[in-house]
């Protein structure tokens, strides 16, 4: 039983290794595939995240102002 | 405003901006990939309508029970709603340039949206022209109700009674074909919800800022 499992695993690895060798050298190609649309997605996400972080910072600044004000009102 | 609401809004928008560009969409002539603009153009109008509804809600509350806090809410919801409306017009013009042939096509919905925004701009003009705070708050609250009552037919009723190039009006099937497409719904509805939440957040920050400003003025008056 154990042997069978071992041979099964071994054959799986050989198949995987063969596949990896047969295709062209795979690098981090996601950003270069399909007309480079992922680059655009990345750019849009940077803008979106940037604006949201900015909003978050303004939010925190207002919270700080509110605290300062309530301290002074006492 | 609760933190989880903000986080939910952020997560929805991150999902929408990724899936909106990468997910499968129906292949249609003329529209081509610009069909994805639906995810970004239409939520602006949903956001604007939602914020204007909040504004008129607080305007009615103000008239029933006047207070400066309520007046500030009416103003800021109208403010952020107008920003969403301007973004809606601009995105619509860019989209129309490549699908209808020109940025301003005299489409009834396009004209209606522009008139509605002008009606809301008059709200700010009215506020700016009155010095007395109570008078300003009361008159502008009444005008706010009028502006809302004008916006609804201008954007949602009249374009549907004539032939508009916008989908779903005047026998134009347009979006009906793919509004039924569940793949697009999976992105479109989160987009609407996400932008409404972000709109609420921005308004929340603006109202708090205005409250702080007022409190400082009061403190200085006491001195």
């Amino acid at each position: 039983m154990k042997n069978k499992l071992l041979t099964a695993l071994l054959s799986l690895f050989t198949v995987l290794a063969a596949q990896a060798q047969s295709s062209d050298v795979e690098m981090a190609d996601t950003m270069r595939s399909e007309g480079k649309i992922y680059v655009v997605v990345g750019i849009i996400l940077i803008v979106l995240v940037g604006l949201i972080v900015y909003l978050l910072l303004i939010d925190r600044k207002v919270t700080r102002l509110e605290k300062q004000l309530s301290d002074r009102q006492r | 405003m609760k933190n989880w609401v903000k986080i939910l809004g952020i997560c929805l928008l991150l999902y929408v901006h990724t899936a909106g560009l990468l997910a499968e969409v129906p292949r249609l002539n003329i529209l081509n990939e610009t069909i994805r603009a639906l995810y970004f153009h239409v939520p602006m109008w949903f956001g604007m309508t939602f914020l204007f509804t909040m504004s008129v809600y607080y305007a009615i509350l103000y008239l029933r029970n006047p207070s400066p806090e309520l007046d500030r809410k009416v103003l800021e919801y109208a403010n952020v709603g107008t920003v969403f409306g301007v973004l809606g017009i601009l995105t619509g013009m860019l989209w129309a340039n490549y699908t209808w042939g020109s940025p301003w096509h005299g489409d009834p919905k396009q004209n209606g949206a522009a008139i509605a925004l002008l009606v809301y701009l008059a709200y700010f003009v009215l506020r700016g022209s009155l010095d007395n705070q109570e008078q300003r708050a009361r008159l502008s609250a009444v005008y706010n109700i009028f502006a809302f009552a004008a916006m609804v037919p201008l954007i949602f009723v009249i374009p549907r009674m004539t032939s508009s190039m916008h989908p779903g009006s005047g026998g134009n099937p347009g979006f009906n074909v793919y509004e039924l497409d569940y793949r697009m719904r999976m992105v479109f509805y989160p987009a609407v919800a996400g932008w409404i939440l972000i709109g609420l957040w921005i308004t929340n920050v603006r109202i708090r800022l205005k409250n702080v400003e007022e409190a400082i003025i009061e403190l200085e008056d006491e001195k």
Side-chain angles (χ1 to χ4, degrees), chain A residues 37-38 40-41 44-45 48-49 52 55-56 58-59 62-63 65-66 69 72-73, chain B residues 6 10 13-14 17-18 21-22 195 198 201-202 205 208-209 212 215-216 219 223:
Chain A
I37 183 67
Y38 297 104
V40 184
V41 177
I44 289 175
L45 285 180
L48 182 71
V49 170
I52 286 173
L55 179 60
L56 203 77
I58 298 172
D59 193 334
V62 174
T63 312
L65 276 177
E66 282 172 339
L69 195 71
R72 206 183 292 179
Q73 274 169 335
Chain B
K6 298 172 187 171
I10 295 169
L13 284 195
L14 289 179
H17 283 73
T18 314
L21 290 161
L22 297 179
W195 279 112
I198 296 294
W201 184 7
I202 299 173
V205 171
R208 283 162 53 206
L209 203 56
V212 170
I216 289 173
L219 270 182
K223 272 174 197 169

Side-chain angles (χ1 to χ4, degrees), chain B residues 68-88:
Chain B
E69 288 82 36
L70 282 175
D71 180 50
R72 270 171 247 151
K73 284 189 178 177
V74 181
L75 170 65
E76 293 308 336
Y77 276 110
N79 244 327
V80 181
T82 308
V83 172
F84 272 66
V86 169
L87 290 175

Side-chain angles (χ1 to χ4, degrees), chain B residues 43 92 99 120 134 145 176 200:
Chain B
T99 47
Y120 268 92
E134 263 174 53
I145 296 172
N176 292 345
L200 281 174

Side-chain angles (χ1 to χ4, degrees), chain B residues 160-172:
Chain B
R160 281 175 200 195
M161 295 172 72
T162 57
S163 67
S164 165
M165 303 241 283
H166 270 89
S169 20
N172 185 346

Side-chain angles (χ1 to χ4, degrees), chain A residues 10-24:
Chain A
L10 268 177
S11 52
L12 188 72
F13 280 134
T14 18
V15 169
L16 282 177
Q19 259 181 354
Q21 276 174 345
S22 65
S23 61
D24 292 325

